[in-house]
Amino acid sequence: DESHNDLGVQSLAASIAPKSVTVTATDLSKSYGDADPELTATVEGLSGDDTISYTLARVEGEDVGTYGITVTGELEQGNYDVTYKNGILTVTQRALTLTAGSDTKVYDGYVLSNEEYTAEGLAEGDRILSVDHEGVQTDVGVSQNLVRNPKIVNASEADVTENYSVVCLTGTLEVTKKPITITAESAEKVYDGTALKSSGYASTGLADGDVFDGLTVTGSQILAGEGSNIPSNAKIVRPAPTEDDPDHVVEVNDNYA
């Protein structure tokens, strides 16, 4: 008798689990008023040259703050289970520099001021609606000219000042000395044994509103001949009335050369 061996045949089932892939939106930043940077994401877990599909978008808004970046797509793509992680776009303040204007003049008794300024860094469509100015110089000297507290609006006239980091640079206001010439009067006579004197004088260069509050002219000639007639000790004042003293004046000699 032949012997027969029955062989048992077993069926095996192969199961391949999807591989996990993570798509993470990249955190980004920009200054207010700049164009958005390109939205990007990193993909971790793909094999070889495999690819998956996803879409990036961000929450709308242009003011300073944070806005979510969303990454979306199918949760199952081919051999992959996909997990999505959102990111953040941060909008930071835009740098703006205001520089106050500078000016100079020769003393003339009037206030020197300059409300001009330059602005560097405004976003397209924005404009400065108003600023505060501070700075005057009347007498000879140098002082600061200030510009600050700008109010900035966009094309829709909405206040966007808080979207800026503002640096204010000062200008200078300078008043220089005014040339003045004082000329004593000349006089003449035929010798008569008495002294010839003249206290008169003329001046050129006195600023509007300023007056002489004292001036000495020294000169005397008795004998035939010529002598000098010399002005000195000039005191120049400018009216500066107060409530208590309507006749109050201030000396302004230092404003003259």
Side-chain angles (χ1 to χ4, degrees):
D1 294 328
E2 292 184 359
S3 297
H4 297 280
N5 294 326
D6 292 332
L7 300 178
V9 178
Q10 295 182 336
S11 177
L12 300 177
S15 177
I16 300 177
K19 187 177 182 181
S20 294
V21 168
T22 301
V23 181
T24 304
T26 305
D27 290 337
L28 300 169
S29 66
K30 71 166 188 170
S31 295
Y32 164 78
D34 287 349
D36 277 5
E38 181 182 0
L39 302 181
T40 60
T42 58
V43 180
E44 296 180 352
L46 287 176
S47 298
D49 296 329
D50 289 354
T51 60
I52 59 172
S53 298
Y54 56 87
T55 301
L56 289 162
R58 80 162 178 97
V59 175
E60 291 185 356
E62 294 299 331
D63 290 331
V64 167
T66 56
Y67 302 88
I69 301 174
T70 59
V71 53
T72 57
E74 297 293 333
L75 296 178
E76 296 181 2
Q77 298 191 40
N79 296 317
Y80 299 98
D81 283 339
V82 186
T83 300
Y84 299 97
K85 294 184 178 181
N86 295 330
I88 293 175
L89 172 65
T90 301
V91 179
T92 60
Q93 286 184 314
R94 186 178 186 88
L96 175 66
T97 301
L98 300 183
T99 304
S102 296
D103 210 346
T104 183
K105 73 172 182 177
V106 175
Y107 169 77
D108 60 4
Y110 296 102
V111 170
L112 172 63
S113 62
N114 186 338
E115 294 189 352
E116 295 181 354
Y117 64 91
T118 59
E120 184 177 354
L122 276 175
E124 185 175 356
D126 289 357
R127 66 185 180 91
I128 296 176
L129 185 64
S130 63
V131 295
D132 292 337
H133 294 277
E134 183 180 330
V136 294
Q137 185 72 25
T138 301
D139 294 321
V140 167
V142 179
S143 61
Q144 291 185 333
N145 194 31
L146 306 177
V147 58
R148 51 193 173 190
N149 300 326
K151 181 178 180 180
I152 308 167
V153 296
N154 62 18
S156 300
E157 298 300 309
D159 189 341
V160 294
T161 306
E162 294 302 315
N163 290 320
Y164 287 88
S165 174
V166 183
V167 174
C168 296
L169 303 180
T170 61
T172 57
L173 299 173
E174 181 178 12
V175 176
T176 59
K177 289 179 179 288
K178 182 176 179 64
I180 187 172
T181 300
I182 303 171
T183 305
E185 286 185 350
S186 296
E188 64 178 27
K189 70 174 184 176
V190 175
Y191 170 75
D192 62 3
T194 61
L196 173 61
K197 297 181 179 181
S198 177
S199 59
Y201 62 89
S203 68
T204 58
L206 199 63
D208 290 346
D210 291 356
V211 295
F212 287 104
D213 190 34
L215 187 146
T216 301
V217 178
T218 304
S220 178
Q221 186 71 21
I222 298 176
L223 302 176
E226 293 183 355
S228 297
N229 204 25
I230 302 172
S232 62
N233 300 322
K235 181 181 179 181
I236 307 171
V237 298
R238 180 173 66 234
T242 66
E243 185 175 346
D244 296 330
D245 184 2
D247 296 322
H248 181 67
V249 296
V250 293
E251 185 174 333
V252 293
N253 280 44
D254 289 341
N255 292 322
Y256 291 91

